[in-house]
Amino acid sequence: MDLAILTGDLVGSTGLPPDLVEAGFSSMTGLQGLGPAWFNRHRGDGWQMALAQPAYDLRLALMVRACLRALDPRLETRIAIARGTGNIPENGDLNRAQGPGFVASGRLLDQMTGAEIRHASGGAWSAATCLADALSHGWTQKQAEAMCPMLALPTPPQQSVADQLGKSRQAVAQALQGAGYSAISGALTLWEAP
């Protein structure tokens, strides 16, 4: 099966309250709307996701960053993205999954330092991922709160996001503008095109 594999770990998790770390993982398991997906936590602060629609790999990585930062700015993660074939056991346990995509994602994570997002495919894929990483790295907590739901598919109306957050639509629009939502959304549309 063709998959996108995201492998990561929380940066500096040993210095965070255990309940915050648990809340961070809970927020990651709740990410939905991008097709069939699997999530596993491993090695304490490590995690892995597999996505059956590889075109959404960068969107999912940005959702992870946004949702963690929206919860608490101290929650940072490294994210190594790879595309490739893989076999996932029927029980969905990614710790027992196999395939080139899993290997490539794990190897890339081993080369990374700090809270960054990288793509194993090289070339334009890696370049675009580096730019998305740089732009999203500066998100404030308020910007991340607005970005997290707006990265879901289908994209909700801004008024719905405002109602969900208990804020005005103008406040959400301002946060999205500051986060570079328009440019990111346009880039993701191009990235995901068949």
Side-chain angles (χ1 to χ4, degrees):
M1 170 186 325
D2 288 333
L3 298 166
I5 311 299
L6 280 66
T7 306
D9 57 21
L10 296 181
V11 176
S13 64
T14 55
L16 298 176
D19 59 335
L20 179 59
V21 172
E22 293 303 319
F25 280 115
S26 292
S27 74
M28 291 169 60
T29 59
L31 297 177
Q32 300 176 13
L34 301 180
W38 299 263
F39 176 86
N40 263 74
R41 182 176 173 181
H42 62 94
R43 296 183 303 180
D45 64 358
W47 59 270
Q48 193 163 57
M49 291 183 178
L51 189 61
Q53 296 193 32
Y56 296 141
D57 54 0
L58 183 56
R59 181 180 295 271
L60 181 58
L62 291 171
M63 286 176 75
V64 168
R65 171 169 280 170
C67 292
L68 287 175
R69 183 153 307 160
L71 186 62
D72 191 301
R74 294 174 292 172
L75 287 170
E76 293 279 3
T77 186
R78 300 184 295 164
I79 305 174
I81 306 169
R83 292 185 184 183
T85 57
N87 297 312
I88 299 174
E90 286 187 21
N91 66 1
D93 182 4
L94 295 183
N95 292 322
R96 302 182 65 104
Q98 299 177 0
F102 291 94
V103 173
S105 182
R107 285 183 178 164
L108 178 59
L109 184 71
D110 289 341
Q111 299 169 12
M112 295 168 57
T113 59
E116 55 187 349
I117 303 171
R118 295 292 178 257
H119 206 291
S121 294
W125 299 102
S126 293
T129 302
C130 286
L131 290 172
D133 172 59
L135 187 57
S136 63
H137 204 273
W139 287 342
T140 66
Q141 187 172 14
K142 288 182 180 181
Q143 290 169 344
E145 286 174 349
M147 286 296 292
C148 186
M150 291 299 291
L151 288 167
L153 292 175
T155 304
Q158 288 187 22
Q159 186 60 57
S160 296
V161 173
D163 293 344
Q164 176 187 339
L165 297 175
K167 300 187 176 191
S168 69
R169 193 189 62 74
Q170 292 80 5
V172 169
Q174 185 177 18
L176 292 173
Q177 181 179 9
Y181 173 72
S182 181
I184 289 172
S185 178
L188 288 174
T189 298
L190 294 170
W191 179 281
E192 295 161 3

